[in-house]
């Protein structure tokens, strides 16, 4: 299976998946990385791994429709079967969703459907979990559709929220879970244990 990544910042989840591919844990190949941030750590990671990478954003394609089509063109040129969002801070366009129906995945640093939706990402999720006094949190892998954090849930993992937790300590523990959950979920898809539409 050929994996294409969309990432905006550091790309640590992407790196976890790439490492699993390189180690033979995943029967998959990371074939392309696209970032909307020209200075992202994800692009640097891709260059270090010798994976083709591209900066595609509103700066390179001011028209959103043109940007969406260019992203699809790059993914198709690299024979991508599964699109992996790894901290991608932009809404996935309708052409991308139509070209890869049910085959665009995201990982969310919380237990959806709670603490999801527009504007709920990264530290904001952990702050909301703490503000709500939730006893557990975790990570969710889901299929991406036209609504933020709305698509079918494929897998979740949980962690206890400690009374001493801050948004930063919670973020670190959840991120470690994300790395494992993403790899495990992609492996289950490859093995046919999880069926995508």
């Amino acid at each position: 299976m050929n994996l294409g990544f969309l990432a905006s910042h550091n790309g640590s989840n992407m790196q976890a998946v790439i490492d699993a591919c390189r180690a033979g844990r995943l029967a998959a190949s990371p074939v392309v990385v696209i970032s909307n941030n020209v200075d992202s750590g994800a692009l640097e990671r891709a260059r270090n791994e010798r994976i083709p990478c591209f900066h595609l954003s509103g700066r390179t394609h001011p028209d959103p429709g043109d940007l969406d089509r260019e992203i699809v063109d790059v993914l198709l040129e690299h024979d991508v079967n599964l699109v992996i969002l790894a901290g991608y801070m932009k809404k996935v366009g309708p052409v991308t969703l139509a070209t890869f129906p049910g085959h665009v995945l995201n990982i969310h640093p919380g237990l959806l459907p709670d603490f999801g939706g527009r504007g709920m990402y990264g530290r904001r999720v952990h702050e909301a979990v703490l503000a709500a006094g939730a006893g557990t949190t975790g990570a969710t892998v889901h299929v991406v559709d036209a609504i933020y954090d709305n698509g079918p849930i494929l897998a979740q993992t949980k962690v206890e929220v400690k009374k001493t937790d801050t948004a930063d300590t919670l973020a670190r523990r959840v991120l470690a879970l994300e790395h494992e959950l993403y790899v495990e979920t992609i492996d289950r898809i490859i093995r046919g244990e999880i069926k995508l539409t």
Side-chain angles (χ1 to χ4, degrees):
M1 183 171 284
N2 289 339
L3 308 180
F5 297 88
L6 301 182
S8 294
H9 297 297
N10 188 40
S12 70
N13 270 310
M14 180 188 82
Q15 187 70 58
V17 174
I18 291 170
D19 289 347
C21 292
R22 301 290 196 234
R25 288 181 61 201
L26 288 177
S29 299
V31 295
V32 67
V33 175
I34 297 170
S35 180
N36 63 304
N37 176 359
V38 71
D39 297 317
S40 71
L43 289 178
E44 184 177 349
R45 290 176 187 271
R47 287 188 286 267
N48 289 340
E49 295 284 349
R50 292 182 168 77
I51 298 168
C53 58
F54 300 83
H55 164 233
L56 298 175
S57 70
R59 286 171 56 187
T60 62
H61 295 76
D63 178 85
D66 290 344
L67 174 59
D68 191 12
R69 285 185 290 273
E70 182 63 21
I71 288 171
V72 166
D73 286 348
V74 169
L75 293 172
L76 291 176
E77 283 169 15
H78 291 84
D79 299 318
V80 168
N81 308 118
L82 192 62
V83 181
I84 309 294
L85 304 193
Y88 190 58
M89 294 291 107
K90 296 293 181 181
K91 195 168 189 180
V92 177
V95 180
T96 303
L97 292 176
T99 305
F100 298 93
H103 284 68
V104 181
L105 305 186
N106 183 49
I107 192 157
H108 182 76
L111 296 174
L112 293 176
D114 297 334
F115 308 112
R118 186 179 180 90
M120 290 299 289
Y121 56 86
R123 184 184 178 88
R124 294 181 184 186
V125 176
H126 306 303
E127 289 172 345
V129 166
L130 291 172
T136 57
T137 187
T140 303
V141 177
H142 67 97
V143 176
V144 175
D145 64 15
I147 302 169
Y148 286 108
D149 300 328
N150 179 72
I153 291 171
L154 301 180
Q156 290 185 313
T157 188
K158 296 180 180 179
V159 66
E160 180 186 358
V161 179
K162 299 176 182 177
K163 290 180 180 172
T164 55
D165 268 325
T166 65
D168 290 335
T169 61
L170 207 51
R172 283 194 293 273
R173 294 214 317 285
V174 171
L175 186 60
L177 292 177
E178 288 179 49
H179 293 169
E180 282 303 310
L181 184 66
Y182 227 171
V183 169
E184 289 168 7
T185 306
I186 295 167
D187 183 51
R188 290 176 64 201
I189 290 168
I190 293 167
R191 293 175 183 274
E193 295 173 16
I194 294 176
K195 305 289 186 186
L196 300 179
T197 55

